[in-house]
Amino acid sequence: MLVTFLGTAAANAFPEAFCKCDHCEQARLHGGASLRKRSALLVNDDLLIDLGPDIMAASQMHRCSLTNVRYCLQTHPHADHFDPSHFLSRSPGFGVIGAPELNFYASAETIQRAAMTFERDLADYSLLSVEAEKLLNLAIHTIEPFVPFTFGSYRVIAVPANHAPGMGAMLYAVEANGRSIFYGIDTAELFEQAWQSFIRFNLHFDLVILDHTYGLRESGSDHLSASQFVQHIVRMRREGILKPDGRAFATHIAHQGNPAHADLVEYTRSQGYEVAYDGLILEI
Ligand SMILES: [Zn+2]
Ligand SMILES: [Zn+2]
Ligand SMILES: [Zn+2]
């Protein structure tokens, strides 16, 4: 599996355009890997995790074509992960001819919110209508937590995130060709039922990507801090959920608690994990 980080920032990007804090000023000075767009992930060239607000910019900047994307796993409907105008921009009506049909997978709550936003702001027809499927070259699939589903060469298990109660936020375990990854943003400490599901479904990840929003700050109720990140990885390694040679990467990086990239790399290396950056490609 090839994994490309299209974005690695939390909700307000990094550097945050309106902010003069030390972290943002350092990130501006260093540029490169310190410049983070809102989080999204590309698996191989056909599976996108999150139809995020910055995927167009990411595609341009990292010369990463999304023309083969035919599957999208949506974590939740927060605006830093979901821009429904992309349904339109990839459609024949916007001049995109011959693109594969997009199979969009999300929880019922996320789909409901997506439909609400789409109809309120973007179109005079329902996102959930037959008309929409045709006009947008789109198939929408409602997924349930802990019920494995498959498409193409992928097998996916959705796990509820400890985040945005009532929005049906999901984290995803994705397996293909004998390799497996876990994409764990946005979330606070994983629910115990998530841990149990890893064991029940016999999941052993080659790559774990986890929320690092708070960084070196105190943790909160909706995301992870660096110390919580470490606790999760230690437990995953101890229980064999992360393979002995598996890699752990931090993403969804906010400017308040995380320094610019070079300093963050130094810190995370000392703690036994790695930090992603925009445009990073991993072969798993
Ligand atoms: Zn987020
Ligand atoms: Zn800042
Ligand atoms: Zn969120």
Side-chain angles (χ1 to χ4, degrees):
M1 260 196 282
L2 277 185
V3 170
T4 304
F5 289 85
L6 298 175
T8 57
N12 45 359
F14 190 173
E16 140 75 72
F18 302 97
C19 182
K20 288 196 293 187
C21 78
D22 282 351
H23 293 163
C24 287
E25 293 289 30
Q26 282 295 311
R28 277 186 201 103
L29 194 67
H30 295 309
S34 290
L35 305 179
R36 302 179 186 277
K37 296 175 287 301
R38 269 77 61 87
S39 294
L41 192 80
L42 181 67
V43 180
N44 298 321
D45 66 349
D46 56 358
L47 167 59
L48 181 65
I49 305 187
D50 281 345
L51 201 63
D54 292 338
I55 57 172
M56 294 293 183
S59 173
Q60 294 169 2
M61 291 174 68
H62 307 299
R63 294 173 184 261
C64 175
S65 166
L66 301 181
T67 53
N68 290 328
V69 169
R70 59 182 66 224
Y71 313 111
C72 179
L73 298 170
Q74 188 64 39
T75 57
H76 65 307
H78 278 164
D80 59 318
H81 296 260
F82 183 57
D83 180 350
S85 74
H86 294 323
F87 286 137
L88 289 166
S89 48
R90 64 175 301 286
S91 73
F94 278 55
V96 180
I97 310 297
E101 182 184 56
L102 181 67
N103 288 276
F104 183 79
Y105 299 86
S107 67
E109 296 93 329
T110 293
I111 289 172
Q112 201 180 15
R113 282 180 182 260
M116 214 167 62
T117 312
F118 187 82
E119 284 161 56
R120 189 190 61 210
D121 302 338
L122 295 168
D124 57 4
Y125 54 90
S126 166
L127 184 65
L128 307 179
S129 62
V130 177
E131 189 186 9
E133 298 216 330
K134 217 169 116 195
L135 289 173
L136 303 174
N137 193 21
L138 173 71
I140 294 181
H141 308 273
T142 307
I143 54 121
E144 300 273 351
F146 308 124
V147 179
F149 55 101
T150 59
F151 49 79
S153 59
Y154 301 98
R155 176 182 188 255
V156 178
I157 297 167
V159 172
N162 184 0
H163 183 79
M167 285 196 190
M170 295 293 160
L171 315 172
Y172 291 107
V174 179
E175 298 176 295
N177 305 321
R179 311 298 278 174
S180 73
I181 66 174
F182 180 67
Y183 193 66
I185 69 168
D186 295 1
T187 189
E189 288 184 325
L190 293 182
F191 292 127
E192 201 51 42
Q193 60 174 175
W195 291 100
Q196 285 161 15
S197 74
F198 297 148
I199 305 294
R200 190 165 81 244
F201 289 107
N202 200 24
L203 294 170
H204 306 282
F205 299 115
D206 299 284
L207 170 66
V208 168
I209 300 161
L210 272 188
D211 192 294
H212 202 270
T213 305
Y214 289 110
L216 309 184
R217 293 171 80 211
E218 290 289 300
S219 56
S221 60
D222 49 355
H223 290 282
L224 293 175
S225 66
S227 65
Q228 289 174 319
F229 184 104
V230 170
Q231 287 163 18
H232 280 65
I233 296 305
V234 165
R235 179 169 173 184
M236 283 185 174
R237 289 201 191 279
R238 190 176 65 228
E239 297 187 5
I241 295 162
L242 179 56
K243 288 180 180 174
D245 59 348
R247 297 172 75 180
F249 275 85
T251 190
H252 204 272
I253 312 281
H255 67 115
Q256 295 101 318
N258 293 280
H261 187 67
D263 289 343
L264 189 55
V265 166
E266 201 172 310
Y267 174 80
T268 61
R269 191 178 288 146
S270 75
Q271 302 294 312
Y273 64 99
E274 300 174 82
V275 59
Y277 55 88
D278 291 21
L280 170 65
I281 301 175
L282 301 174
E283 195 172 346
I284 300 300

